[in-house]
Amino acid sequence: MQYKSTRNSELRLEASQVIAQGISSEGGLFVPEKLPDISSELSDMTGLSYNELAAKIFRLFLTDFTDEQISYCVENAYAQEKFNGDPIKLKSLSAHDGNKHILELWHGPTCAFKDMALQILPYFLTVSLSKSAPNKEAVILVATSGDTGKAALEGFRDVPGTKVIVFYPQDGVSLMQKRQMATQEGKNVAVYAIEGNFDDAQTAVKKIFTDSQMKAALAEHNFMFSSANSINWGRLLPQIVYYFYAYFRLCKVEGLAVGKPINVAVPTGNFGNILAAYYARKMGLPIRKFICASNSNKVLTDFINTGVYDCRRDFYTTSSPSMDILISSNLERLLYALSGENSTVLSGWMERLSARGYYDVGSEVLAKVQDIFFGGCCDDSATAKAINSIWHNDAYLLDTHTAVAFDVYRQYVEATGDSNTPTVIASTASPYKFVSSVLGALKPLNIDDNDEYRNISQLEALTGTKAPSQLKNLRDKPVRFDVTIKNSQAASYVLKTLGIGE
């Protein structure tokens, strides 16, 4: 299996090269030259453990890794002590119907779905570097809207041959997310807040990646850039696995017949999580519809409904901050596929987005999008209502992002009448990561209810649920990182962190 770039279809690289590099030199994203079709093998795969399934799928894509290297990556990343047993949990809600199934992806070290990929990416990367750049030290640049930053910091903490530098929007993450990053331990990590929003942070990182002078400066000191964002294929690949696993759990536990279709609803910001489900479908997983859920930053909803991607709009800071994004990087990979892998056309759209803030994919591509995607959005009020409704009707506690997916799934059923298709709803974070918003959805908050740790205790008492210990223990950890910089200073702080230049 080799890989090409969305902006250069002639390029061919091995898996280890694309994982080490992160992003293509011309700014494109790496994609497999062909997705394998395993539809005929689904029945034989239903009994596989998570680790067995992951190894099987990884072998299809990491063809320059040995079986021993893949086993090493999988067994270390998904060790039971890291995830308290099975890496994912599938919960079925049956108060009103038996067709809603919650895919809990947040039982890892940082209580967010990003752990499913960022626990294994360090192993992928170290193996990749040993093959493609054995004498280089990787500098992992991360732009985060909250969860990716902490998951990357924890995943790469003190991993030999790596340094991790995270940028997050100063006022665009929850207090708990900020606390997680500010107290991060490790000798090879650094964290900076950026004035602005997530798109400002992401733009700064992308510019650094493609800056030839920056790359030359790093090369002189035996460094090379890589990425832990979902623009890195090594981040996206592990996410394909859990959609297959969730389907097989439905077959094994809920009696779903192999081959019967499901829907998938995903709270969506940078488009990586839902894109992984799309790739699973291309590989043979029977998914009928992708329900793409946005908050008030509804650029994806508008795109799915019109074919025009337009980020020239107001930016909203919401109760679901990991979705507060106006430039969804992974949409590029989907459009590359739907345009017939035409890198010239795709590059034109991306150039127009950069120069003018919008592009229009036209009626033909729009029809392909709408054939398999439903786009919807909800504001903070509807998010809180969904949290309250699901708790009182199903005794299940949602975080703010998963609540967005629930509300948009409701919109989908109302619009289509399709309430019979079993639907997997991706639950992307522990509700205790956004405790004040979740608590406020269940009871009125007083003006002095601004202590996150007291709110944790209140939510535990109100619901009888337990907060993850790694969040409760943050109160006692010392703050190590508390620096805010301008967007334009990001590159100089990278060099400063690495000890290069002045």
Side-chain angles (χ1 to χ4, degrees):
M1 172 76 73
Q2 290 190 309
Y3 294 79
K4 51 193 173 184
S5 166
T6 52
R7 304 187 196 183
N8 180 5
S9 292
E10 302 304 314
L11 188 69
R12 291 293 183 276
L13 295 177
E14 298 293 337
S16 60
Q17 293 174 295
V18 306
I19 291 172
Q21 194 170 322
I23 190 172
S24 190
S25 58
E26 80 292 326
L29 306 185
F30 293 117
V31 295
E33 60 179 347
K34 184 179 181 181
L35 287 165
D37 182 356
I38 56 175
S39 55
S40 63
E41 303 177 48
L42 295 182
S43 295
D44 297 329
M45 297 166 64
T46 56
L48 296 179
S49 69
Y50 194 88
N51 287 14
E52 290 170 336
L53 179 63
K56 181 178 179 65
I57 290 176
F58 295 157
R59 288 188 189 102
L60 301 174
F61 292 95
L62 307 178
T63 52
D64 61 336
F65 283 46
T66 66
D67 286 350
E68 290 75 18
Q69 288 170 332
I70 290 175
S71 295
Y72 161 78
C73 293
V74 169
E75 296 306 321
N76 281 281
Y78 301 126
Q80 287 203 358
E81 60 268 20
K82 290 185 177 182
F83 290 89
N84 192 26
D86 222 12
I88 70 164
K89 311 289 188 290
L90 191 68
K91 305 287 181 67
S92 297
L93 301 186
S94 56
H96 305 294
D97 61 69
N99 289 323
K100 296 194 296 291
H101 308 277
I102 303 174
L103 179 59
E104 292 182 351
L105 299 168
W106 43 263
H107 291 282
T110 74
C111 306
F113 82 101
K114 307 298 176 69
D115 289 326
M116 296 302 300
L118 282 167
Q119 279 300 302
I120 198 165
L121 180 59
Y123 296 99
F124 281 170
L125 183 60
T126 52
V127 172
S128 296
L129 287 172
S130 71
K131 294 173 178 292
S132 63
N135 299 315
K136 295 284 188 180
E137 186 169 2
V139 178
I140 316 297
L141 294 186
V142 180
T144 184
S145 53
D147 288 334
T148 292
K150 172 59 179 178
L153 291 164
E154 187 64 29
F156 282 95
R157 180 181 62 175
D158 293 329
V159 171
T162 67
K163 293 187 183 297
V164 187
I165 305 173
V166 169
F167 298 97
Y168 71 90
Q170 179 183 15
D171 298 315
V173 300
S174 76
L175 292 176
M176 194 64 72
Q177 289 173 315
K178 184 180 293 187
R179 182 77 181 181
Q180 281 187 302
M181 289 185 282
T183 58
Q184 177 64 46
E185 298 172 346
K187 297 178 181 179
N188 64 334
V189 302
V191 181
Y192 300 104
I194 278 186
E195 296 176 359
N197 57 39
F198 169 76
D199 292 316
D200 295 319
Q202 182 168 248
T203 298
V205 167
K206 285 185 175 180
K207 284 183 178 178
I208 294 170
F209 262 112
T210 55
D211 186 322
S212 58
Q213 290 184 332
M214 284 288 291
K215 288 191 285 189
L218 263 67
E220 286 182 15
H221 294 80
N222 249 20
F223 291 118
M224 64 175 288
F225 282 130
S226 190
S227 173
N229 285 95
S230 55
I231 57 176
N232 190 322
W233 176 250
R235 242 293 301 277
L236 196 59
L237 173 59
Q239 296 178 259
I240 295 172
V241 177
Y242 52 68
Y243 288 107
F244 277 97
Y245 191 71
Y247 184 84
F248 296 146
R249 294 299 296 171
L250 288 178
C251 295
K252 193 172 182 179
V253 178
E254 302 293 333
L256 181 72
V258 176
K260 184 177 180 180
I262 63 170
N263 294 328
V264 171
V266 184
T268 309
N270 218 17
F271 208 76
N273 201 356
I274 200 167
L275 180 69
Y278 169 80
Y279 282 149
R281 182 182 192 265
K282 296 287 285 183
M283 293 170 64
L285 193 65
I287 300 176
R288 175 175 289 161
K289 205 78 171 183
F290 301 97
I291 300 164
C292 181
S294 301
N295 59 21
S296 295
N297 295 295
K298 60 187 184 73
V299 63
L300 285 169
T301 303
D302 293 343
F303 169 74
I304 291 169
N305 291 327
T306 67
V308 177
Y309 194 99
D310 192 342
C311 63
R312 303 169 300 176
R313 60 181 68 210
D314 291 336
F315 178 89
Y316 299 98
T317 300
T318 73
S319 64
S320 47
S322 296
M323 301 160 64
D324 290 349
I325 295 172
L326 294 182
I327 301 176
S328 301
S329 293
N330 277 291
L331 184 63
E332 179 171 336
R333 284 182 164 118
L334 175 71
L335 294 180
Y336 179 70
L338 298 184
S339 65
E341 299 190 342
N342 190 323
S343 57
T344 301
V345 169
L346 190 283
S347 296
W349 291 335
M350 296 303 108
E351 289 169 6
R352 196 168 296 119
L353 180 66
S354 178
R356 304 180 187 177
Y358 77 99
Y359 59 85
D360 185 340
V361 298
S363 58
E364 184 177 344
V365 171
L366 175 60
K368 293 178 182 178
V369 171
Q370 293 179 339
D371 182 51
I372 53 176
F373 282 86
F374 174 89
C377 60
C378 74
D379 60 15
D380 282 358
S381 175
T383 299
K385 184 177 179 181
I387 292 171
N388 189 291
S389 174
I390 295 299
W391 172 250
H392 286 103
N393 291 330
D394 298 280
Y396 187 86
L397 194 61
L398 300 172
D399 87 289
T400 48
H401 304 74
T402 311
V404 170
F406 261 89
D407 187 73
V408 174
Y409 171 66
R410 176 193 60 77
Q411 296 173 34
Y412 168 77
V413 171
E414 289 182 357
T416 65
D418 179 19
S419 61
N420 294 322
T421 302
T423 299
V424 170
I425 300 173
S427 179
T428 55
S430 164
Y432 284 92
K433 290 197 78 167
F434 310 93
V435 61
S436 296
S437 295
V438 173
L439 181 62
L442 301 182
K443 77 176 192 69
L445 292 183
N446 298 321
I447 193 169
D448 60 344
D449 284 334
N450 56 8
D451 184 323
E452 291 285 276
Y453 301 98
R454 185 173 67 178
N455 287 343
I456 284 177
S457 298
Q458 288 194 58
L459 188 59
E460 287 182 317
L462 181 65
T463 62
T465 60
K466 290 292 185 183
S469 59
Q470 57 265 52
L471 297 181
K472 295 178 73 171
N473 294 341
L474 285 174
R475 178 196 287 271
D476 301 322
K477 287 192 171 185
V479 171
R480 293 186 62 209
F481 303 104
D482 187 21
V483 176
T484 301
I485 65 174
K486 296 182 183 299
N487 191 23
S488 58
Q489 295 176 298
S492 63
Y493 270 81
V494 168
L495 296 178
K496 179 180 179 180
T497 302
L498 299 176
I500 299 175
E502 298 180 2

